[in-house]
């Protein structure tokens, strides 16, 4: 999927290069398309402006500078353009020029920590690891709860338990990646008694294209795929040989937090009102698109190149309608966060527990909830 937003040089993605192969030329995540509605709305009055020395400086009219981790998995590609009209309802303004998009979470984080960005979207797992390492980052707003992707098997792989058979090779990404995170969460919810690292036969493929190809050519017998990719797999191997084991959003419910907004604690302390309006604007955009397919399609048609077929957009929109993939509640509960920390720790990405107050900025989340409540009462 390609949006009208340049990828930063050195990020690992060639400008203007389109995907090749049998996979669709746009990523399947509804969050990708939802975020096209959100992110430009999330630039606002207040915040910090670049001082030219990489440290940033406080300013009363500077836009929020958004750092986006597009990543290699569907849900990582968030917060990428548009919705200025939605931001105006929250006193926000901005343009795509205020967004820096990278293909690497580490690069995006370096930009944030150097003061060249104010807020970052990325996987919660990666943010938790940074916090454990002592980085000055806190989560202040959820973006995507789960994923519409599917655990798929071929041949004899028909159940979660079949993943333990050494002859069944799993295609997955590295610990903390989207496929690894959600499969670990699924194994936890299913009380499987094992984690991804316990699966005896694995092939590590960071890119979703590679995982689909591995499934198509028989190099792997199981993986996490988007539902359109499942259709491509059925075309390649025959429908009878492809087994949809679990729809992850259905299995995980509202327990998981896949992608969230984060910022340096120091920035949040100085910009709590701005951060709260930023979060409220984002979640309000999620709600609007989740309630109105035409709004969703209008934004998708405007910002996604090449255009996504309407029938595919409708399938994606329906998935969110059924499983609430896009977050609309700014609050992240202590119980919810604890469940996510447990999954990330079991994947080997964390060394131990993290305290709730060390991870989230509750003041910003509570302020965003109050803003949304007042806005709702005035509608």
């Amino acid at each position: 999927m390609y949006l009208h937003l340049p990828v930063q040089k050195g990020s690992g993605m060639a400008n203007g290069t389109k995907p090749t192969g049998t996979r669709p030329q746009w990523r399947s995540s509804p969050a990708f398309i939802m975020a096209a509605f959100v992110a430009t709305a999330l630039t606002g009055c207040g915040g910090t402006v670049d001082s030219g020395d990489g440290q940033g400086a406080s300013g009363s009219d500077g836009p929020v500078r958004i750092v986006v981790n597009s990543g290699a998995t569907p849900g990582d590609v968030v917060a990428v353009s548009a919705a200025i009209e939605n931001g105006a309802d929250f006193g926000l303004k901005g343009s795509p020029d205020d967004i820096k998009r990278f293909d690497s979470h580490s690069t995006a984080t370096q930009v944030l920590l150097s003061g060249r960005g104010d807020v970052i979207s990325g996987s919660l797992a990666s943010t938790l690891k940074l916090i454990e390492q002592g980085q000055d980052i806190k989560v202040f707003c959820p973006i995507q709860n789960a994923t519409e992707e599917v655990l798929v098997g071929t041949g004899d792989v028909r159940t979660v338990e079949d993943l333990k058979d050494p002859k069944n090779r799993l295609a997955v990404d590295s610990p903390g990646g989207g496929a690894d995170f959600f499969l670990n969460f699924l194994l936890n919810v299913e009380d499987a008694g094992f984690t991804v690292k316990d699966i005896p036969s694995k092939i590590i493929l960071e890119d979703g294209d590679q995982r689909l190809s591995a499934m198509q050519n028989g190099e792997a017998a199981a993986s996490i795929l988007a539902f359109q990719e499942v259709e491509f797999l059925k075309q390649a191997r025959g429908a009878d040989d492809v087994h949809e084991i679990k729809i992850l959003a259905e299995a995980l419910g509202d327990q998981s937090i896949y992608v969230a907004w984060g910022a340096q604690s120091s920035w949040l302390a100085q910009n709590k009102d701005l951060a709260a309006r930023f979060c409220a604007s984002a979640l309000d955009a999620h709600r609007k698109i989740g309630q109105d397919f035409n709004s969703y399609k209008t934004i998708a048609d405007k910002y996604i190149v090449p255009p996504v077929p309407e029938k595919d957009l409708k399938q994606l929109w329906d998935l969110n309608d059924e499983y609430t993939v896009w977050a609309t509640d700014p609050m992240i509960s202590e119980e919810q966060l604890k469940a996510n920390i447990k999954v990330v720790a079991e994947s080997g990405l964390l060394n131990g527990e993290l305290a709730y107050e060390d991870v989230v900025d509750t003041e910003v989340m509570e302020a965003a909830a109050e803003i949304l409540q007042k806005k709702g009462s005035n509608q």
Side-chain angles (χ1 to χ4, degrees), residues 98-318:
D98 302 315
I99 306 170
K100 295 182 176 69
R101 178 178 170 221
F102 300 90
D103 196 40
S104 160
H105 189 270
S106 61
T107 303
T109 302
Q110 290 169 11
V111 171
L112 179 79
L113 296 177
S114 70
R116 291 175 288 145
D118 299 321
V119 300
I120 185 171
S121 74
S123 72
L124 178 65
S126 297
T127 302
L128 290 173
K129 182 63 177 177
L130 290 168
I131 293 171
E132 185 181 64
Q133 292 173 341
Q135 298 294 348
D136 177 38
I137 296 177
K138 279 196 172 182
V139 171
F140 68 94
C141 189
I143 298 174
Q144 184 178 352
N145 294 322
T147 178
E148 82 297 344
E149 294 178 306
V150 184
L151 172 61
V152 180
T154 58
D156 295 332
V157 183
R158 298 173 180 269
T159 68
V160 169
E161 187 69 19
D162 290 334
L163 298 176
K164 293 175 64 178
D165 191 326
K167 75 173 184 294
N168 299 326
R169 178 178 289 178
L170 170 72
V172 68
D173 50 10
S174 298
D180 173 85
F181 174 79
F182 278 116
L183 184 51
N184 269 315
F185 219 119
L186 175 65
L187 295 174
N188 188 277
V189 169
E190 294 283 311
D191 292 323
F194 63 96
T195 65
V196 172
K197 66 181 179 182
D198 300 320
I199 294 174
S201 182
K202 294 187 292 287
I203 179 172
I204 303 300
L205 298 172
E206 304 295 353
D207 185 74
D209 287 331
Q210 295 175 321
R211 293 194 292 274
L212 174 59
S213 295
M215 291 286 288
Q216 289 175 322
N217 64 30
E219 189 178 3
S223 191
I224 302 291
L225 298 179
F227 74 89
Q228 291 91 355
E229 295 168 339
V230 176
E231 294 307 311
F232 280 96
L233 182 60
K234 289 178 179 179
Q235 291 174 20
R237 298 187 62 88
D240 291 342
D241 194 47
V242 178
H243 318 298
E244 299 179 28
I245 300 171
K246 292 285 182 179
I247 298 174
L248 296 179
E250 179 180 16
L252 304 184
D254 60 0
Q255 295 185 62
S256 65
I257 308 166
Y258 180 29
V259 186
W261 288 108
Q264 292 193 75
S265 301
S266 54
W267 185 88
L268 290 170
Q270 296 172 13
N271 298 277
K272 286 196 181 294
D273 175 68
L274 177 61
R277 287 187 287 125
F278 182 108
C279 179
S281 177
L283 301 185
D284 187 60
H286 298 186
R287 178 188 60 81
K288 286 178 179 177
I289 290 186
Q291 292 178 345
D292 181 13
F293 174 72
N294 288 330
S295 294
Y296 178 79
K297 184 178 184 303
T298 297
I299 298 298
D301 289 345
K302 182 177 180 180
Y303 289 95
I304 299 173
V305 179
V308 180
E310 182 172 346
K311 66 179 182 63
D312 292 334
L313 282 177
K314 187 62 166 62
Q315 284 180 296
L316 296 170
W317 187 84
D318 286 342

Side-chain angles (χ1 to χ4, degrees), residues 28 37 64 66 93 96 163 173 193 236 256 259 263 273 276 298 321 323 326 367 370:
S28 59
F37 181 75
V64 175
I66 301 170
K93 63 180 181 179
L163 298 176
D173 50 10
S256 65
V259 186
D273 175 68
T298 297
D321 186 50
Y323 301 121
W326 314 327
E370 185 176 348

